[in-house]
Coordinates of all heavy atoms in Angstrom, one line a residue:
G1 N 0.8 -1.2 0.0 CA 0.0 0.0 0.0 C 0.8 1.3 0.0 O 0.3 2.4 -0.2
T2 N 2.1 1.1 0.2 CA 3.1 2.2 0.1 C 3.6 2.4 -1.3 O 3.3 1.5 -2.2 CB 4.3 2.0 1.1 OG1 4.9 0.8 0.7 CG2 3.8 1.9 2.5
P3 N 4.3 3.5 -1.7 CA 4.7 3.7 -3.0 C 5.5 2.5 -3.5 O 6.5 2.0 -2.9 CB 5.6 4.9 -3.0 CG 5.0 5.7 -1.9 CD 4.5 4.7 -0.8
L4 N 5.1 1.9 -4.7 CA 5.7 0.7 -5.3 C 6.6 1.2 -6.4 O 6.2 1.8 -7.3 CB 4.6 -0.2 -5.8 CG 5.0 -1.6 -6.2 CD1 3.7 -2.4 -6.4 CD2 5.9 -1.7 -7.4
C5 N 7.9 1.0 -6.2 CA 8.9 1.5 -7.2 C 9.5 0.3 -7.9 O 10.0 -0.7 -7.3 CB 10.0 2.3 -6.5 SG 11.3 2.9 -7.6
M6 N 9.5 0.4 -9.2 CA 10.2 -0.6 -10.1 C 11.2 0.0 -11.0 O 10.9 1.1 -11.5 CB 9.1 -1.4 -10.9 CG 8.2 -2.2 -10.1 SD 7.0 -3.2 -11.1 CE 5.9 -1.9 -11.6
M7 N 12.3 -0.6 -11.2 CA 13.4 -0.1 -12.0 C 13.9 -1.1 -13.0 O 13.9 -2.3 -12.7 CB 14.6 0.3 -11.1 CG 15.7 1.1 -11.9 SD 17.0 1.7 -10.8 CE 17.8 0.1 -10.3
I8 N 14.1 -0.6 -14.2 CA 14.6 -1.4 -15.3 C 15.9 -0.9 -15.9 O 15.9 0.2 -16.4 CB 13.5 -1.5 -16.5 CG1 12.1 -1.8 -15.9 CG2 14.0 -2.4 -17.6 CD1 11.0 -1.5 -16.9
P9 N 17.0 -1.6 -15.7 CA 18.3 -1.1 -16.2 C 18.3 -1.0 -17.7 O 17.7 -1.9 -18.4 CB 19.3 -2.2 -15.7 CG 18.6 -2.9 -14.6 CD 17.1 -2.9 -15.0
N10 N 19.0 0.0 -18.2 CA 19.4 0.1 -19.6 C 20.7 -0.6 -19.8 O 21.7 -0.2 -19.2 CB 19.4 1.5 -20.1 CG 18.1 2.2 -20.1 OD1 17.1 1.5 -20.4 ND2 18.0 3.5 -19.8
E11 N 20.8 -1.6 -20.7 CA 22.1 -2.3 -20.8 C 22.7 -2.1 -22.2 O 23.9 -2.1 -22.3 CB 21.8 -3.8 -20.6 CG 21.3 -4.1 -19.2 CD 21.0 -5.6 -19.0 OE1 20.6 -6.3 -19.9 OE2 21.1 -6.1 -17.8
D12 N 21.9 -2.1 -23.2 CA 22.5 -2.0 -24.6 C 22.4 -0.6 -25.2 O 21.7 -0.3 -26.1 CB 21.7 -3.0 -25.5 CG 22.4 -3.1 -26.9 OD1 23.5 -2.8 -27.0 OD2 21.7 -3.6 -27.8
T13 N 23.0 0.3 -24.5 CA 23.0 1.7 -25.0 C 24.1 2.0 -25.9 O 25.2 1.5 -25.8 CB 23.0 2.7 -23.8 OG1 24.3 2.4 -23.1 CG2 21.9 2.5 -22.8
R14 N 23.8 2.9 -26.9 CA 24.8 3.3 -27.9 C 24.7 4.8 -28.2 O 24.2 5.2 -29.2 CB 24.7 2.5 -29.2 CG 25.0 1.0 -29.1 CD 24.9 0.3 -30.4 NE 24.9 -1.1 -30.4 CZ 24.8 -1.9 -31.4 NH1 24.6 -1.4 -32.6 NH2 24.9 -3.2 -31.3
P15 N 25.0 5.6 -27.2 CA 24.8 7.1 -27.4 C 25.6 7.6 -28.6 O 25.2 8.6 -29.2 CB 25.3 7.7 -26.1 CG 26.1 6.6 -25.5 CD 25.6 5.3 -25.9
Q16 N 26.6 6.9 -29.0 CA 27.4 7.4 -30.1 C 26.7 7.4 -31.4 O 27.0 8.1 -32.4 CB 28.7 6.6 -30.3 CG 28.5 5.1 -30.7 CD 28.3 4.2 -29.5 OE1 28.0 4.7 -28.4 NE2 28.3 2.9 -29.7
D17 N 25.6 6.6 -31.5 CA 24.8 6.6 -32.7 C 24.0 7.9 -33.0 O 23.5 8.1 -34.0 CB 23.8 5.4 -32.6 CG 24.4 4.1 -32.8 OD1 25.6 4.0 -33.3 OD2 23.7 3.1 -32.5
Y18 N 24.0 8.8 -32.0 CA 23.2 10.0 -32.0 C 24.0 11.3 -32.1 O 23.4 12.3 -32.0 CB 22.2 10.0 -30.9 CG 21.3 8.8 -30.9 CD1 21.6 7.6 -30.2 CD2 20.1 8.8 -31.6 CE1 20.8 6.5 -30.2 CE2 19.3 7.7 -31.6 CZ 19.6 6.5 -30.9 OH 18.8 5.4 -30.9
T19 N 25.3 11.2 -32.2 CA 26.1 12.4 -32.2 C 25.8 13.3 -33.3 O 25.9 14.6 -33.2 CB 27.6 12.0 -32.3 OG1 27.9 11.2 -33.4 CG2 28.0 11.3 -31.0
E20 N 25.3 12.8 -34.5 CA 25.0 13.6 -35.6 C 23.8 14.5 -35.4 O 23.6 15.5 -36.1 CB 24.8 12.7 -36.9 CG 26.1 12.2 -37.5 CD 25.8 11.5 -38.8 OE1 24.8 11.7 -39.4 OE2 26.7 10.8 -39.3
I21 N 22.9 14.1 -34.5 CA 21.7 14.9 -34.3 C 21.8 15.8 -33.1 O 20.9 16.4 -32.6 CB 20.5 14.0 -34.1 CG1 20.6 13.1 -32.8 CG2 20.3 13.1 -35.3 CD1 19.3 12.5 -32.4
K22 N 23.1 15.9 -32.6 CA 23.3 16.9 -31.5 C 22.9 18.3 -31.8 O 22.3 19.0 -31.0 CB 24.8 16.9 -31.1 CG 25.1 17.7 -29.9 CD 26.6 17.6 -29.5 CE 26.9 18.4 -28.2 NZ 28.3 18.2 -27.8
S23 N 23.1 18.6 -33.1 CA 22.7 20.0 -33.5 C 21.7 20.0 -34.7 O 21.0 21.0 -34.9 CB 23.9 20.8 -34.0 OG 24.6 20.1 -35.1
A24 N 21.5 18.8 -35.4 CA 20.5 18.8 -36.4 C 19.2 18.2 -35.9 O 19.2 17.3 -35.1 CB 21.1 17.9 -37.6
Y25 N 18.1 18.6 -36.5 CA 16.8 18.2 -36.0 C 16.3 17.1 -36.9 O 16.1 17.2 -38.1 CB 15.8 19.3 -36.0 CG 16.2 20.5 -35.1 CD1 16.1 21.8 -35.5 CD2 16.5 20.2 -33.8 CE1 16.4 22.8 -34.6 CE2 16.8 21.2 -32.9 CZ 16.8 22.5 -33.3 OH 17.1 23.5 -32.4
R26 N 15.9 15.9 -36.3 CA 15.3 14.8 -37.0 C 13.9 15.1 -37.4 O 13.1 15.6 -36.6 CB 15.4 13.5 -36.2 CG 16.7 13.0 -35.8 CD 16.7 11.9 -34.8 NE 16.1 12.3 -33.5 CZ 15.9 11.5 -32.5 NH1 16.1 10.2 -32.6 NH2 15.4 12.1 -31.4
P27 N 13.5 15.0 -38.7 CA 12.1 15.2 -39.1 C 11.1 14.4 -38.2 O 11.3 13.2 -38.0 CB 12.1 14.8 -40.5 CG 13.5 14.9 -41.0 CD 14.4 14.6 -39.8
S28 N 10.1 15.1 -37.8 CA 8.9 14.5 -37.1 C 9.3 13.9 -35.7 O 8.5 13.2 -35.1 CB 8.3 13.5 -37.9 OG 7.6 14.0 -39.0
H29 N 10.5 14.3 -35.2 CA 10.8 13.9 -33.8 C 10.6 15.1 -32.9 O 10.2 16.2 -33.3 CB 12.3 13.5 -33.7 CG 12.5 12.1 -34.2 ND1 12.6 11.8 -35.6 CD2 12.7 10.9 -33.6 CE1 12.8 10.5 -35.7 NE2 12.9 10.0 -34.5
A30 N 10.9 14.9 -31.6 CA 10.7 16.0 -30.6 C 12.0 16.9 -30.5 O 12.0 17.7 -29.5 CB 10.4 15.4 -29.3
D31 N 13.0 16.7 -31.3 CA 14.2 17.4 -31.2 C 14.0 19.0 -31.2 O 14.4 19.7 -30.3 CB 15.2 17.1 -32.3 CG 15.5 15.6 -32.4 OD1 15.3 14.9 -31.3 OD2 16.0 15.1 -33.4
Y32 N 13.3 19.5 -32.2 CA 13.2 20.9 -32.3 C 12.2 21.4 -31.2 O 12.5 22.5 -30.6 CB 12.6 21.3 -33.7 CG 12.1 22.7 -33.7 CD1 13.0 23.8 -33.7 CD2 10.7 23.0 -33.7 CE1 12.6 25.1 -33.7 CE2 10.3 24.3 -33.7 CZ 11.2 25.4 -33.7 OH 10.8 26.7 -33.7
T33 N 11.1 20.7 -30.9 CA 10.2 21.2 -29.9 C 10.8 21.2 -28.5 O 10.5 22.1 -27.7 CB 8.9 20.4 -30.0 OG1 9.2 19.0 -29.9 CG2 8.1 20.6 -31.2
Y34 N 11.7 20.2 -28.2 CA 12.4 20.2 -26.9 C 13.2 21.4 -26.8 O 13.2 22.1 -25.8 CB 13.2 18.9 -26.8 CG 12.8 18.0 -25.8 CD1 11.6 17.2 -25.9 CD2 13.5 17.8 -24.6 CE1 11.2 16.3 -24.9 CE2 13.1 16.9 -23.6 CZ 11.9 16.2 -23.8 OH 11.5 15.3 -22.8
D35 N 14.0 21.7 -27.9 CA 14.9 22.9 -27.8 C 14.1 24.2 -27.7 O 14.4 25.1 -27.0 CB 15.8 23.0 -29.1 CG 17.1 22.3 -28.9 OD1 17.5 22.0 -27.7 OD2 17.8 22.1 -29.9
A36 N 12.9 24.2 -28.4 CA 12.1 25.4 -28.3 C 11.5 25.6 -27.0 O 11.4 26.8 -26.5 CB 11.0 25.3 -29.4

């Protein structure tokens, strides 16, 4: 009955795949709206 907390580790991350979009906005993604 108290707060139930569940956590799921991220194991297969590859942040290097996204370096190109650091400054460029992906069409139809939230990139531009987040920055705005």
